Amino acid sequence: GAASRGLRHKPDKLNPLLHTAWPALQGRFRDSDPRIRVQAVALLGFLMEDAGDFLLQKVVQGFLPHAHLILAEQGSATIAAAGRAALLPTLAAIARLLRRRTRGSNRARP
């Protein structure tokens, strides 16, 4: 989160780093440890705020198919609650970007 905040106005620096790190982060969404999945989602939420336009396609393809696993988390109530708490703002950031893109594409039509 803090590193991406420092580079948010320098996409030429941030985006290549995110491109390189994405496969490792994507793997954490499927980690066997639910605490790791929760932390990965929380990190994604920060990254979506700082580089959402760049990450949107990666997120739609690589994260959204696994989001339901976090919502359906069984076991510790604390982990399940933390997962939902991390997931909801992340999904809200994704929705805002999708809505903004949809509005932009509607304006471009004749």
Side-chain angles (χ1 to χ4, degrees):
S4 66
R5 294 274 150 85
L7 294 173
R8 76 175 358 164
H9 298 294
K10 298 178 181 178
D12 58 318
K13 304 274 190 232
L14 180 58
N15 293 350
L17 292 172
L18 294 175
H19 178 74
T20 300
W22 179 254
L25 180 59
Q26 185 178 6
R28 301 297 64 87
F29 302 138
R30 298 181 305 272
D31 198 279
S32 61
D33 185 338
R35 293 170 296 188
I36 300 294
R37 289 194 300 269
V38 168
Q39 290 301 311
V41 170
L43 175 59
L44 180 60
F46 285 116
L47 295 175
M48 288 302 294
E49 300 224 353
D50 296 333
D53 287 325
F54 175 75
L55 288 174
L56 188 58
Q57 189 63 34
K58 292 177 184 298
V59 167
V60 167
Q61 293 175 351
F63 168 70
L64 289 182
H66 307 286
H68 73 281
L69 297 174
I70 295 158
L71 282 175
E73 193 69 63
Q74 299 298 316
S76 166
T78 303
I79 297 231
R84 286 189 295 278
L87 184 60
L88 295 177
T90 300
L91 290 175
I94 294 166
R96 280 191 302 274
L97 282 165
L98 288 170
R99 191 170 38 250
R100 191 173 71 215
R101 281 204 177 171
T102 301
R103 287 182 188 153
S105 66
N106 288 341
R107 287 185 197 136
R109 292 182 185 161

